[in-house]
Amino acid sequence: MRRWPFGPLGGMPLAREPSRPYKRLMKLRGKTFIVTGASRGLGEALAKELGRAGANLVIGARNKAALEFVQAEVRELGVGCEAVAGSSASAEVAEGLVKAAVVLGGFAGFVHNAGIVHPGPLVFELAEAAYHEVVESNLTGGYQLARFAYPQLMRQGEGVAVFVGSGLAEHHLPGTGLHGAAKAAEEYLARQLALEAPEITCWVYRPGLVETEMQRQLREAEGGGGEATRALYRAYQRQGQVLTPEQSAAALVRLLEADPRRFHGGIAHQTDV
């Protein structure tokens, strides 16, 4: 019978009390990782950085042409790379990502990086279609990926699950409310998975402010919260606080190569390397 590591108030003692003695994660070379949202930005940079470390990749994104371009570039690094186009919020796509990883061999885990923000409108201004895109990309995609990956990883007895989070999960800003709510739910999902399957090292990676299409959207936001959003994210850019995707991706790979178990059930930042 599985014993749940509940804390004194019924919550999980996150990150500080691993459910088993610390064991360094396997080397990345020869292992296979799934990366969602890999057609551009941080996901693309992460796929390439993992490839340089010798890992094989299964990459996913909705834009098939862009995804196949990244696939070709990763393969040029001398590693295996398969592409599965579509939203990871789809059970069929999520299952396809996991099946491809198992076929490549050495399936070690996933990084759920896919996410949509739709910045600018206040929550009650946001169109229903935009609502579904934000929630499905961030939360439903993570659930579907875990749904198919976890049984496989648990049969192996180890693995890693990383959910790309955001500081917006705990900070309120007009024009980013639904994205923040979706990220808060996604981070809660990661903590719950860490509790329910402690043999799989599961944590949230907050990548910092990264120069991606999402950042550009935030700097050009329109709607009831657009002014506040534009002002804040343009200030970040002026102050030189925005990282390149390559910088943040390299930090995540270093965390995977070091001792990721210390973040189990918790949050790692790109400054934690």
Side-chain angles (χ1 to χ4, degrees):
M1 180 181 293
R2 186 180 293 274
R3 295 183 179 274
W4 307 112
F6 294 120
L9 300 179
M12 181 182 177
L14 301 177
R16 298 167 186 80
E17 298 177 24
S19 59
R20 62 180 181 178
Y22 162 69
K23 179 182 178 182
R24 184 174 294 273
L25 186 70
M26 72 290 290
K27 294 186 186 219
L28 302 183
R29 184 167 299 278
K31 300 300 179 180
T32 298
F33 289 87
I34 296 168
V35 178
T36 64
S39 63
R40 62 185 181 184
L42 178 59
E44 176 184 0
L46 178 59
K48 293 176 181 177
E49 193 69 23
L50 284 167
R52 292 186 192 98
N56 300 311
L57 277 302
V58 175
I59 57 176
R62 296 183 303 169
N63 187 321
K64 183 178 180 182
L67 190 66
E68 290 176 345
F69 182 81
V70 175
Q71 177 188 25
E73 291 193 317
V74 172
R75 284 178 171 176
E76 288 179 1
L77 300 172
V79 298
C81 183
E82 297 299 327
V84 179
S87 169
S88 57
S90 158
E92 181 180 2
V93 172
E95 185 176 22
L97 288 164
V98 174
K99 284 183 175 179
V102 171
V103 169
L104 270 180
F107 179 38
F110 64 83
V111 179
H112 180 49
N113 166 73
I116 294 173
V117 58
H118 283 307
L122 302 175
V123 170
F124 56 83
E125 296 175 335
L126 198 67
E128 184 178 354
Y131 164 86
H132 286 298
E133 281 196 325
V134 172
V135 174
E136 288 174 6
S137 63
N138 290 284
L139 179 60
T140 310
Y143 152 73
Q144 293 283 29
L145 197 53
R147 179 183 168 209
F148 292 102
Y150 260 68
Q152 179 65 36
L153 294 172
M154 291 173 70
R155 280 193 292 272
Q156 299 169 187
E158 64 178 358
V160 61
V162 181
F163 292 81
V164 175
S166 170
L168 288 171
E170 55 186 292
H171 297 289
H172 296 275
L173 174 70
T176 63
L178 187 62
H179 180 74
K183 281 299 182 187
E186 181 185 356
E187 293 191 2
Y188 186 101
L189 174 66
R191 294 193 297 272
Q192 187 70 18
L193 287 166
L195 167 69
E196 294 179 350
E199 57 268 53
I200 308 304
T201 299
C202 181
W203 42 286
V204 170
Y205 176 62
R206 290 191 181 173
L209 298 162
V210 184
E211 185 56 43
T212 61
E213 178 61 26
M214 185 178 292
Q215 280 291 315
R216 289 186 283 275
Q217 290 173 0
L218 288 160
R219 292 196 295 263
E220 301 301 325
E222 298 290 342
E227 183 177 357
T229 301
R230 291 194 305 271
L232 181 62
Y233 284 89
R234 289 177 183 181
Y236 286 144
Q237 186 183 43
R238 287 196 305 272
Q239 294 162 8
Q241 297 186 46
V242 182
L243 306 171
T244 67
E246 291 74 20
Q247 288 173 313
S248 188
L252 177 51
V253 171
R254 288 197 295 273
L255 290 171
L256 287 169
E257 290 177 322
D259 65 342
R261 189 68 187 178
R262 65 189 166 124
F263 299 115
H264 179 65
I267 297 171
H269 299 81
Q270 53 85 23
T271 53
D272 288 327
V273 294

